[in-house]
């Protein structure tokens, strides 16, 4: 068998779900906080720069207004230190005006305007003070970096704690499940009161353990009963042969051979039934084909019960075909007929009819019937009622169990129901789905 390769993962990548979730949330939080910090610093820097430029424009407009009113450039500069006033070279077509021409901004964020006065044109310039903006960005950087780191650490710690609380029931379930073995299937994993997915997982696991416990108990009972059923014929056969060998000259070997052959045939029947039950338990698919149950019943009665008091009654719709295995359904019907003939006083009646999208087969005998409390027990494996305890009369106790398993494999149902008013004996009802029936 080739060795299974483990999936590749980075060496430093954490293996536990708790660690991976913490790392993922911490990385996402750090990226988000860093992005928010960058956006905040950009907004603060932009607002401060725009404010400084607006202040410079106000100073230029005020200086230009003063120059236009005839104030001296030195007095204007003294009133606004960030404003410079220089003589502008003459411009073609420039006329002196007391109005303020449009303000312009240069590439280096300096604002300027040209003002015409009686003394000639002057160029008024102002450079906005960007130092507060740079100082604010630096201060924000020193404040946001440790805050971002602390918030990321806090989020990681909260995630680690929350994941630990959320995964604690999972660890409890894992620890309890690890203690469950074939000898302690009665144990169950704890179900948290959270009502979340973990609780659903625990309930599903407990349901699976219930099914497993029932299956193991059924297997143990089946093994014990099978051993008991096989031990009886084997013990009888061995004892008979030992007695015959002890008195070789006086033994009637013909009778011994006949009796030993009957024991061997009984053992063969039990082993065949056990193998059939094993195949049915393994859910091996059957080879299904369309067949008519009424014709199968007629052929079965003619071949296996030609001299038995079996009456077959068919109704309208009984000739509809079902999907089934001829061999398996023949075994089912013979088991039902064997059981009915074993307990009937005089007659066994077969009734075939259709109801909706189902085909119903009733096997009714006029025997003592089945008590209501035992109508479900008769389908247990190796089950014999009190009036049929002996193997020669009650069989191996596997016939009805095999019949029900075959019915289930065909999607049908086999039940023991209350007797009819006209026939007070046992009444077995087989229901098979017709093609196209829902479910």
């Amino acid at each position: 068998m080739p060795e299974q390769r483990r999936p590749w993962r980075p060496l430093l990548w954490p293996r536990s779900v708790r660690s991976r979730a913490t790392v993922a949330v911490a990385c996402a939080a750090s990226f988000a906080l860093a992005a928010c910090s960058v956006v905040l610093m950009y907004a603060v820097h932009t607002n401060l720069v725009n404010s400084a430029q607006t202040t410079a424009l106000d100073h230029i407009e005020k200086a230009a207004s003063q120059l236009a009113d005839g104030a001296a450039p030195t007095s204007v500069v003294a009133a606004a230190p960030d404003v410079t006033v220089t003589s502008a070279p003459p411009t073609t077509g420039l006329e002196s005006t007391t109005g303020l021409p449009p303000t312009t901004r240069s590439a280096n964020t300096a604002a300027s305007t040209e003002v015409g006065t009686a003394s000639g044109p002057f160029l008024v310039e102002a450079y906005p003070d960007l130092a507060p903006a740079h100082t604010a960005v630096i201060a924000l950087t020193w404040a946001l970096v440790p805050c971002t780191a602390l918030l990321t650490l806090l989020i990681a710690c909260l995630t680690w704690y929350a994941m630990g609380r959320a995964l604690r029931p999972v660890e409890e379930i894992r620890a309890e499940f690890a203690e469950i073995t074939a000898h302690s299937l009665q144990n169950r994993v704890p179900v948290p009161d959270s009502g979340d997915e973990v609780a659903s997982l625990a309930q599903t696991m407990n349901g699976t353990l219930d099914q497993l416990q029932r299956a193991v108990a059924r297997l143990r009972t089946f093994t014990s009963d099978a051993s008991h059923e096989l031990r009886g014929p084997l013990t009888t056969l061995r004892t008979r042969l030992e007695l015959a060998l002890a008195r070789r000259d006086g033994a009637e070997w013909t009778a011994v051979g006949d009796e030993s052959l009957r024991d061997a045939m009984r053992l063969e029947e039990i082993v065949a039934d056990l193998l059939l039950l094993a195949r049915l338990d393994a859910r091996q698919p059957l080879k299904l084909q369309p067949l008519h149950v009424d014709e199968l019943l007629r052929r079965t009665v003619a071949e296996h019960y030609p001299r038995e008091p079996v009456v077959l009654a068919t109704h309208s719709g009984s000739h509809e075909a079902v999907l089934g295995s001829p061999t398996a359904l023949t075994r089912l019907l013979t088991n039902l007929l064997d059981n009915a003939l074993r307990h009937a006083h005089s007659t066994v009646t077969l009734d075939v009819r259709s109801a909706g999208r189902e085909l119903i087969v009733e096997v009714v005998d006029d025997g003592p019937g089945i008590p209501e409390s035992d109508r479900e027990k008769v389908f247990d494996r190796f089950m014999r009622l009190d009036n049929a305890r002996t193997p020669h009369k009650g069989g191996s106790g596997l016939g009805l169990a095999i019949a029900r398993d075959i019915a289930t494999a065909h999607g049908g149902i086999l039940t023991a129901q209350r007797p009819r008013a006209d026939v007070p004996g046992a009444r077995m009802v087989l229901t098979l789905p017709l093609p196209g029936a829902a479910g």
Side-chain angles (χ1 to χ4, degrees), residues 148-402:
T148 300
L150 289 176
L151 284 175
T152 301
L153 180 60
L154 177 61
I155 292 174
C157 293
L158 291 176
T159 304
W160 178 269
Y161 175 76
M163 289 299 297
R165 289 291 299 271
L167 294 176
R168 186 178 303 167
V170 177
E171 176 60 25
E172 295 176 355
I173 292 173
R174 186 206 63 79
E176 183 64 29
F177 194 78
E179 298 295 328
I180 298 176
T181 63
H183 301 287
S184 59
L185 288 176
Q186 71 280 358
N187 295 343
R188 295 294 180 268
V189 298
V191 179
D193 299 331
S194 55
D196 54 6
E197 291 81 358
V198 177
S200 300
L201 173 64
Q203 293 173 355
T204 303
M205 293 179 67
N206 285 337
T208 303
L209 288 173
D210 290 338
Q211 297 179 7
L212 182 61
Q213 183 181 11
R214 290 193 295 268
V216 171
R218 185 179 181 184
L219 177 61
R220 289 173 178 171
T221 303
F222 177 75
T223 304
S224 176
D225 293 339
S227 301
H228 176 74
E229 291 294 328
L230 292 172
R231 188 182 298 114
L234 283 174
T235 303
T236 303
L237 177 60
R238 178 178 178 179
T239 302
R240 182 177 295 112
L241 293 175
E242 288 178 348
L243 291 174
L245 290 174
R247 47 188 181 88
R248 297 174 183 268
D249 298 335
E252 296 181 2
W253 289 104
T254 302
V256 171
D258 292 339
E259 293 173 352
S260 299
L261 180 60
R262 285 197 298 270
D263 291 336
M265 292 176 63
R266 176 167 173 77
L267 284 172
E268 183 181 7
E269 291 176 358
I270 295 176
V271 171
D273 288 344
L274 294 176
L275 291 176
L276 178 57
L277 283 173
R279 289 195 297 268
L280 292 173
D281 287 341
R283 298 293 190 268
Q284 294 182 359
L286 300 174
K287 295 181 179 180
L288 305 181
Q289 65 183 52
L291 55 87
H292 300 281
V293 176
D294 55 346
E295 294 181 358
L296 185 64
L297 275 171
R298 289 190 183 94
R299 187 166 58 250
T300 301
V301 172
E303 292 179 359
H304 299 279
Y305 312 97
R307 299 182 179 179
E308 300 292 344
V310 179
V311 179
L312 175 61
T314 59
H315 302 273
S316 60
S318 61
H319 196 63
E320 292 194 52
V322 300
L323 290 177
S325 167
T327 304
L329 286 180
T330 299
R331 180 60 184 275
L332 185 157
L333 296 173
T334 55
N335 285 3
L336 292 180
L337 286 171
D338 288 341
N339 179 76
L341 288 170
R342 188 180 298 119
H343 300 92
H345 293 316
S346 60
T347 307
V348 173
T349 303
L350 298 177
D351 191 295
V352 185
R353 67 180 185 276
S354 63
R357 298 307 302 167
E358 295 178 337
L359 188 71
I360 299 176
V361 179
E362 290 190 6
V363 181
V364 182
D365 64 73
D366 58 353
I370 304 174
E372 184 176 358
S373 59
D374 294 330
R375 288 175 189 165
E376 188 62 27
K377 294 180 182 179
V378 295
F379 296 102
D380 294 340
R381 298 176 181 183
F382 301 105
M383 172 58 65
R384 300 188 187 96
L385 300 182
D386 293 337
N387 60 351
R389 288 290 185 181
T390 61
H392 297 290
K393 187 176 181 181
S396 64
L398 294 175
L400 292 181
I402 292 175

Side-chain angles (χ1 to χ4, degrees), residues 394-417:
S396 64
L398 294 175
L400 292 181
I402 292 175
R404 169 169 278 190
D405 286 350
I406 294 175
T408 303
H410 284 79
I413 301 173
L414 177 60
T415 57
Q417 299 186 7

Side-chain angles (χ1 to χ4, degrees), residues 120-146:
F122 288 95
L123 180 63
V124 183
E125 294 179 322
Y127 292 87
D129 186 7
L130 301 181
H134 297 318
T135 303
V137 169
I138 294 173
L140 276 176
T141 302
W142 283 103
L144 291 176
V145 168

